[in-house]
Amino acid sequence: MPPVTEATTVLFRDLDAMAPVDRESLARQGHDPFAGFYYGAVGTPSSGALARMVAAANGLAHAVIAPAGLSAFIAALWASVKPGERVAVTDAVTYSLRWHLDRRAAAAGIGIDYFPPGIGAGIRDVLRPDTRLVCVETPGAFTFEVEDLAAVAEATHAAGARLLVDDTWSAGLHYRPADHGADLVLQSLAKLHAGVAGVSLGAISTGDRALYEDVLEETALQGMAVSADATQKAAVAMQTLAVRLAAQDRTTRRLLAAVAALNVRGLCLLHPAMPDHPGHDVWARDFTGAGTLFSLVVDGGGPADAAAIGRGLTLFRPGYGWGGAVSLVSPFTAGEGRTVSRPPAEGAGLRLYAGLEDAEDLVEDLCAAICRAGRAGA
């Protein structure tokens, strides 16, 4: 593990040894720990070490580290799409990406076409001659619809566009988007990779060297410097990623089974491992594990109905974000913000993250809260 290398100024032995500040020098940094280390704001040996770990975890050759998942997306977007061109985006994309697309990218002249999640080969009907990038989150945010990525990739590449996949949910361990045709893999490292370390980072991984250099250059152009301390903490946290996800996989499956066994009328359980979930067959075919994030939706219910369950929870703590040791719950409205599709269940809901607490304690906490809310509403 390389030491934390904090640096804003890097010294050379003489003027002739100084690396020029250009694209070629930028592309050299981040491989051999100190080769091409010429300016701390665009990368240190610490960020290079984390980039290699993330790329390897995704089965790819290159990764770019950014200050947050949204930053990584922005760098990939602007490296792939220029004003006057278009991007196609799943309607189940996370709200932060939608915010940037609708409020910044659109204002800058990038055309945006949303499409229903689970579209598969039907994406060909969405793509236009000037579409340069297709963005997919699988499973989708909050409602967890699963994409047949190979079919999406085939149609995307046939149209001459690139495919970007947000794979934060599986962290590269339960799923390898690149194996199904993704050109770019986006992950918010602030979640499963390094949430236990309390740091905010994001990453874009790719097997394409030229594309890697384009994204890396975009992070430099937009001043997306990352902290050496944060990258070192994330690298340490990643050493336990596989162990943590294996434990959380078992906990999540136990929670899903326990809630399903309650058979509460009008309460929809959204997770790809459920047999009746949209895209379950694709998940069973392509994924190797159950992500530790799922939702409960009170079908047709309002915020008070979901809150009746949420207020009864003790171990699931109210909070945004996810990925750390503590189990979390946050309210949402299924389908909110969508423009071209409807969710698998409609109404107020709770998104739940199963952390590292004892599985049976979490089962007892969630099932007791559901039962109390059911009695109170009877």
Side-chain angles (χ1 to χ4, degrees), residues 136-365:
V136 167
E137 183 168 354
T138 184
F142 292 94
T143 46
F144 306 105
E145 299 94 331
V146 181
E147 298 288 344
D148 186 344
L149 200 60
V152 174
E154 183 178 2
T156 296
H157 294 152
R162 292 170 175 164
L163 176 60
L164 180 150
V165 178
D166 186 332
D167 183 48
T168 301
W169 189 82
S170 88
L173 267 71
H174 295 321
Y175 188 53
R176 287 279 183 85
D179 292 347
H180 302 276
D183 301 291
L184 295 153
V185 179
L186 167 67
Q187 286 157 340
S188 171
L189 304 184
K191 307 302 191 296
L192 293 170
H193 292 82
V196 293
V199 296
S200 175
L201 291 169
I204 287 287
S205 300
T206 182
D208 185 322
R209 174 73 188 187
L211 185 51
Y212 158 74
E213 292 181 11
D214 288 343
V215 176
L216 184 64
E217 183 179 48
E218 197 63 38
T219 63
L221 291 173
Q222 299 207 35
M224 295 181 182
V226 296
S227 158
D229 183 61
T231 55
Q232 198 267 354
K233 287 180 178 177
V236 172
M238 275 194 67
Q239 295 179 59
T240 63
L241 179 62
V243 176
R244 287 186 280 113
L245 262 63
Q248 290 173 290
D249 180 282
R250 294 190 294 270
T251 296
T252 301
R253 292 176 190 269
R254 178 72 184 92
L255 283 162
L256 296 174
V259 173
L262 293 176
N263 198 27
V264 177
R265 181 180 299 175
L267 186 65
C268 301
L269 183 56
L270 302 182
H271 187 284
M274 302 304 295
D276 58 349
H277 189 82
H280 167 77
D281 291 344
V282 176
W283 172 84
R285 183 192 69 193
D286 295 343
F287 285 71
T288 60
T292 182
L293 198 66
F294 62 99
S295 292
L296 296 176
V297 175
V298 180
D299 196 20
D305 299 302
I309 299 173
R311 292 195 182 99
L313 295 167
T314 300
L315 293 181
F316 287 89
R317 305 293 300 278
Y320 296 110
W322 52 280
V326 177
S327 295
L328 298 174
V329 58
S330 59
F332 75 101
T333 299
E336 186 175 27
R338 292 192 180 190
T339 57
V340 298
S341 67
R342 299 180 68 173
E346 295 188 82
L350 299 173
R351 188 181 69 171
L352 297 117
Y353 163 71
L356 296 174
E357 299 92 344
D358 179 80
E360 293 309 313
D361 288 346
L362 291 175
V363 167
E364 181 179 352
D365 188 42

Side-chain angles (χ1 to χ4, degrees), residues 14-91:
D14 55 41
L15 290 175
D16 293 334
M18 291 186 71
V21 180
D22 60 13
R23 180 184 174 99
E24 183 178 350
S25 294
L26 179 66
R28 286 199 304 270
Q29 68 87 24
H31 298 279
D32 177 59
F34 292 94
F37 177 35
Y38 73 97
Y39 185 50
V42 297
T44 67
S46 301
S47 58
L50 178 62
R52 291 190 296 276
M53 292 178 71
V54 172
N58 285 289
L60 293 167
H62 312 288
V64 178
I65 306 300
L70 178 58
S71 305
F73 170 74
I74 291 170
L77 172 69
W78 289 96
S80 303
V81 187
K82 301 295 181 278
E85 298 174 337
R86 307 191 70 82
V87 55
V89 188
T90 173
D91 209 23

Side-chain angles (χ1 to χ4, degrees), residues 101-114:
L101 289 165
D102 292 346
R103 300 186 62 177
R104 290 292 181 266
I110 290 178
I112 303 161
D113 299 302
Y114 289 103

